[in-house]
Amino acid sequence: MSTSARFDRGHTDDLISFLTASPSPYHAVANAAERLEKAGFRQLRETDAWDGSAGGRFVLRGGAIIAWFVPEGADPHTPFRIVGAHTDSPNLRVKPLPDTGSYGWRQIAVEIYGGTLLNTWLDRDLGLAGRITLRDGSHRLINIDRALLRVPQLAVHLDRSVNTEGLKLDRQRHMQPIWGLGDPQEGDLIRFVAQETGVDATDITGWDLMPHAIEPPSYLGRDRELLAGPRMDNLLSVHAGTAALAAVATSAAAEPLPYIPVLAAFDHEENGSQSDTGADGPLLGTVLERSVLARGGTYEDRARAFAGTVCLSSDTGHAVHPNYSDRHDPTHHPRANGGPILKVNVNMRYATDGSGRAVFAAACEKAGVPWQSFVSNNSMPCGTTIGPITAARHGIQTVDIGVAILSMHSARELCGADDPYLLANALVAFLEG
């Protein structure tokens, strides 16, 4: 392996810690920011004036983080190398009027976020996490990481056809978790959250809360060659991108960088990316343009920088499923621990083209990392990512990649235990150029 390959199984151990500490997008960006600060990055506020000096910077907005490192001597027209990812995962989200229930059960009203596999949330012990907004406009992160909620499945005695005709779940009637006994009382959940957080309930004027499975990630298999855990789609990529950016910035003094390395981790990918913190919003373009202008650049410099920029949109993809191999393309079978995947769809559900393939192949070759190709079965619709959005919105070359997993959009997903650090090594080589 080249000097670019710096991560090993210890990276996967650290991913376990990151997943556990990041039950919501807001926790994920806070944890990424903390890791970058340890690598010398500092936070910029969007309302402040920016300077163009060398060093690492990051901007936080809600569940999104944009971080970049300006090398010494970088010109205003220096291109960017971007690792794109998203911080959100399909799950359940607490409604504005959360207190509900019937027949002596107290429940929490939730809305379905994204394309989650509903059945995977049944009969799991769930905590509650997210953020609250106080009367003064400030935010507090909360993480009640203990068995608090549960979505109980109907007993087989009351649904004799469940094992022959399949489980049928109504998103409104069947997915409301219980959290106690008694009659629902208005304001009960927020009073409980306030007590857990140490604030006055009357000071809480807004909330973005979501249940999460409290079972921690774990190695799996005879030889512990697999990793099972929540939110790998797509915190696996956020973690790898954060680690890669920190590593590149740390080594920049010894090895000058021809590009400005960037991490762009967005929220709301799972429901279309159309928000002020999503990939279809202006956040990334605004940050990159301000970076150019802060270094004394002009519109011409911005155009030159964007023309030479490449983004790797890193998101999880589908490993071939041994029980459903017919759902996959017959000639493309990505396997766990086979290295990161290049995702291709000629109808632009993924942004990869032949030129982008060459960029990714060069990074993997430099890092000594194996890689695989993924395409969907022609008879099935293909998912999409922030890749085509990023390419179309900003006019920059974008390549879709990721790690092959099973059980995508489940409350608990599965990947090869080697693939996270193989991805991180490839990202380092890409950011180094």
Side-chain angles (χ1 to χ4, degrees):
M1 264 187 198
S2 76
T3 55
S4 293
R6 8 185 138 223
F7 301 113
D8 54 21
R9 184 62 75 89
H11 175 88
T12 307
D13 294 338
D14 190 61
L15 172 60
I16 290 175
S17 299
F18 187 80
L19 293 172
T20 301
S22 304
S24 79
Y26 314 108
H27 290 82
V29 299
N31 290 322
E34 181 180 5
R35 290 159 184 258
L36 291 172
E37 283 180 333
K38 290 179 179 177
F41 286 68
R42 62 182 176 89
Q43 183 177 357
L44 296 181
R45 301 190 183 279
E46 293 183 80
T47 53
D48 292 343
W50 294 3
D51 69 73
S53 60
R57 313 280 193 274
F58 64 87
V59 168
L60 299 179
R61 184 193 289 184
I65 180 171
I66 310 294
W68 67 101
F69 180 83
V70 179
E72 290 285 351
D75 294 318
H77 60 266
T78 298
F80 301 92
R81 280 282 173 112
I82 305 169
V83 173
H86 66 88
T87 62
D88 60 318
S89 301
N91 62 3
L92 312 177
R93 301 287 176 101
V94 175
K95 289 183 176 180
L97 301 176
D99 301 293
T100 187
S102 59
Y103 303 103
W105 295 101
R106 292 158 64 197
Q107 295 175 274
I108 301 301
V110 297
E111 192 172 2
I112 310 302
Y113 178 84
T116 188
L117 284 170
L118 297 179
N119 65 295
T120 66
W121 289 87
L122 301 179
D123 298 330
R124 288 187 185 272
D125 295 337
L126 306 174
L128 189 69
R131 69 176 183 179
I132 56 175
T133 304
L134 302 183
R135 194 171 299 278
D136 62 3
S138 63
H139 301 291
R140 296 278 187 90
L141 296 181
I142 75 157
N143 183 10
I144 305 172
D145 197 33
R146 66 175 187 272
L148 181 68
L149 310 166
R150 187 180 179 92
V151 183
Q153 187 170 346
L154 185 64
V156 68
H157 313 78
L158 304 178
D159 186 8
R160 296 288 185 178
S161 65
V162 66
N163 290 326
T164 56
E165 298 180 13
L167 178 65
K168 296 180 176 62
L169 293 172
D170 184 279
R171 293 160 66 92
Q172 178 63 41
R173 294 186 294 121
H174 299 153
M175 297 305 298
Q176 311 307 312
I178 62 172
W179 76 309
L181 299 174
D183 296 326
Q185 299 179 13
E186 185 177 353
D188 202 15
L189 177 66
I190 298 307
R191 284 191 292 271
F192 171 77
V193 168
Q195 182 180 7
E196 291 285 320
T197 314
V199 301
D200 192 312
T202 60
D203 283 339
I204 300 177
T205 56
W207 53 87
D208 302 281
L209 301 174
M210 56 204 74
H212 67 278
I214 63 172
E215 182 184 3
S218 63
Y219 288 106
L220 184 146
R222 186 193 67 179
D223 299 318
R224 293 165 55 88
E225 70 267 47
L226 300 171
L227 177 67
R231 300 177 294 280
M232 284 197 259
D233 179 11
N234 185 33
L235 294 189
L236 188 158
S237 294
V238 175
H239 175 259
T242 303
L245 179 60
V248 169
T250 301
S251 63
E255 187 176 347
L257 298 173
Y259 302 98
I260 295 174
V262 179
L263 169 68
F266 301 100
D267 201 353
H268 303 130
E269 188 272 348
E270 297 294 355
N271 60 11
S273 295
Q274 291 186 322
S275 72
D276 69 321
T277 54
D280 203 19
L283 181 58
L284 176 61
T286 299
V287 168
L288 298 184
E289 184 170 355
R290 289 186 68 177
S291 174
V292 170
L293 297 177
R295 284 176 279 122
T298 63
Y299 180 82
E300 180 73 8
D301 292 312
R302 174 207 179 275
R304 292 175 66 188
F306 277 41
T309 292
V310 183
C311 173
L312 289 190
S313 165
S314 182
D315 203 346
T316 54
H318 302 292
V320 62
H321 197 302
N323 298 338
Y324 300 91
S325 60
D326 59 305
R327 305 297 180 93
H328 298 264
D329 182 84
T331 59
H332 294 75
H333 291 158
R335 300 190 178 195
N337 289 337
I341 56 174
L342 179 75
K343 301 159 76 171
V344 177
N345 180 266
V346 295
N347 295 301
M348 287 292 103
R349 300 293 284 172
Y350 302 132
T352 307
D353 62 9
S355 178
R357 183 185 191 275
V359 172
F360 179 63
C364 290
E365 181 179 359
K366 178 182 177 183
V369 167
W371 60 279
Q372 311 174 81
S373 293
F374 171 83
V375 295
S376 290
N377 187 306
N378 285 333
S379 300
M380 305 188 69
C382 179
T384 191
T385 68
I386 67 165
I389 295 171
T390 303
R393 182 169 185 85
H394 305 294
I396 59 179
Q397 182 180 22
T398 305
V399 189
D400 272 295
I401 67 162
V403 162
I405 70 172
L406 294 182
S407 305
M408 187 185 294
H409 288 194
S410 168
R412 194 168 178 85
E413 297 161 326
L414 183 71
C415 76
D418 295 343
D419 283 329
Y421 70 79
L422 294 175
L423 172 65
N425 287 332
L427 296 182
V428 168
F430 166 73
L431 292 177
E432 287 178 339

